[in-house]
Amino acid sequence: MTLRTRVAYGLVFLLLLVGAPSVFAIDTGKPFDDPVLQARYESIIAEVRCLVCQNESIKDSNAFLASDLRREIRRMLEEGMTDGEIYDFLVDRYGEFVLYRPRASGKTLFLWIAPGLLLVGGALQLARVVRRRMALPIGDVS
Amino acid sequence: MGRFLLPVVAVVAMVIVLMIGLTRDPSKLPSPFIGQPAPEFDLPSLSNPDERVGSASYAGQMVLVNIWATWCVGCREEHAFLNELQRKGAIPIYGINWRDNRAEALRWLSEFGDPYVASGFDVDARVGIDWGAYGAPETFLVSADGIVLYKHLGPLNPHIWQNIFMPLIAAEGATR
């Protein structure tokens, strides 16, 4: 292989690398004219779980369910619904699990307070151990 | 000895909870509709675009609402059982033909039999979304008052029918 063909291959490869993401873009819908709406749209679809492929958001998934939900969210935004109303729409139909960040409610309360409880519990335990050790005579390392 | 008791109990409790978690199928989600009014819908009929099929078609009756499609492998699997239910006159079955092609759906029904009183043609999945559909087949048991008594995700079979649907139908009939 001459140097020139190598360079040519290299260039083609580079072009493929650069070009690939646009070819594989998941969301093929036309962006909103209003940048504010577009930003809201993008933040919502990143927060919604695709239920057929549970570890992907509907932003990252090309499952048909994800594209249907993106279309519905787009429609709701165009109709002027608030983010809260759109999340309500989804939770009413698919349950709390559709949201990556479940909302604080009776059912999910434990989920939200558990880290705090663990932190407080750990701190209390630490304080107890430290206090007990401080009461030991200096030099006693057993 | 005493100082180890609490950590040991905590670890054992955690193992038990996590093991229970392992036995569950994470793709089967609880439906938010159980005990709630079933979503209303109104769709063109699959067999005749000029006719309508929807919740008004079965008002006042206990029915199955089955979300199906020709591209859905599980639907093919349960189809014979749906035919059997229809033959036995067990319960009226209404279909929501989800994200499908009309010609293919009609061919499927003429080839494998049509267990449905009628099917609505939900080509753009708007009604599917209203019913929270995400993995066909999905079968809803809707009471005469329009309340969702149960939702089954995946192919229906005699075992599930006898153990879950029949007791629910009997209990609902007894209270009326």
Side-chain angles (χ1 to χ4, degrees):
Chain A
M1 230 192 306
T2 65
L3 182 65
R4 189 177 290 178
T5 41
R6 270 190 215 187
V7 169
Y9 275 119
L11 279 177
V12 167
F13 182 66
L14 206 70
L15 210 69
L16 286 176
L17 278 184
V18 176
S22 59
V23 174
F24 295 114
I26 303 269
D27 187 4
T28 48
K30 190 165 101 26
F32 286 90
D33 292 331
D34 178 355
V36 178
L37 271 187
Q38 180 66 21
R40 280 176 59 206
Y41 171 71
E42 282 176 17
S43 83
I44 292 173
I45 62 175
E47 289 286 336
V48 174
R49 187 190 304 272
C50 169
L51 294 175
V52 265
C53 32
Q54 296 184 352
N55 289 328
E56 277 181 320
S57 70
I58 61 169
K59 183 181 187 175
D60 300 322
S61 172
N62 55 6
F64 66 76
L65 180 71
S67 80
D68 290 347
L69 289 180
R70 283 195 301 265
R71 185 197 63 204
E72 287 303 299
I73 289 169
R74 194 177 276 278
R75 177 184 63 78
M76 288 187 275
L77 283 168
E78 276 161 1
E79 286 173 6
M81 285 168 72
T82 66
D83 290 13
E85 284 167 342
I86 293 173
Y87 287 132
D88 283 344
F89 173 94
L90 294 166
V91 170
D92 284 349
R93 286 159 179 72
Y94 289 98
E96 197 74 31
F97 189 67
V98 77
L99 302 181
Y100 267 108
R101 274 189 279 188
R103 297 185 286 192
S105 72
K107 269 192 234 164
T108 58
L109 192 64
F110 180 71
L111 212 57
W112 282 95
I113 62 172
L117 285 181
L118 283 175
L119 193 69
V120 171
L124 285 178
Q125 180 63 16
L126 183 70
R128 252 181 56 194
V129 170
V130 167
R131 199 164 325 130
R132 199 163 53 208
R133 301 232 166 138
M134 277 183 17
L136 292 177
I138 291 170
D140 183 356
V141 288
S142 64
Chain B
M1 179 55 216
R3 58 189 297 209
F4 292 117
L5 194 64
L6 193 65
V8 168
V9 169
V11 166
V12 169
M14 208 150 119
V15 166
I16 290 173
V17 168
L18 295 179
M19 282 193 24
I20 293 172
L22 281 180
T23 64
R24 296 176 143 200
D25 182 352
S27 68
K28 296 202 168 161
L29 304 172
S31 171
F33 291 113
I34 309 294
Q36 302 292 320
E40 292 189 353
F41 73 100
D42 179 46
L43 285 169
S45 157
L46 175 65
S47 53
N48 180 356
D50 298 330
E51 280 174 20
R52 309 297 293 180
V53 175
S55 31
S57 317
Y58 53 77
Q61 275 179 292
M62 187 171 358
V63 294
L64 290 187
V65 176
N66 178 250
I67 297 177
W68 67 281
T70 56
W71 46 261
C72 143
V73 181
C75 301
R76 179 74 191 83
E77 203 179 314
E78 71 172 3
H79 200 77
F81 183 64
L82 294 184
N83 283 335
E84 191 189 319
L85 287 179
Q86 191 261 342
R87 231 182 357 258
K88 287 195 301 196
I91 189 168
I93 309 174
Y94 284 82
I96 295 176
N97 178 241
W98 189 40
R99 262 190 155 268
D100 211 344
N101 170 298
R102 193 188 290 270
E104 279 174 28
L106 288 172
R107 192 178 329 127
W108 158 293
L109 290 182
S110 65
E111 208 168 305
F112 304 127
D114 185 353
Y116 305 104
V117 181
S119 280
F121 185 55
D122 184 27
V123 67
D124 59 4
R126 293 284 287 271
V127 170
I129 289 176
D130 279 343
W131 284 74
Y134 64 96
E138 297 189 13
T139 306
F140 293 77
L141 177 61
V142 180
S143 79
D145 309 321
I147 303 293
V148 175
L149 300 176
Y150 191 72
K151 171 193 173 177
H152 178 70
L153 181 77
L156 206 57
N157 59 45
H159 180 77
I160 292 162
W161 180 255
Q162 269 166 21
N163 290 302
I164 300 173
F165 284 81
M166 278 172 61
L168 283 170
I169 292 169
E172 179 68 11
T175 59
R176 299 186 71 71

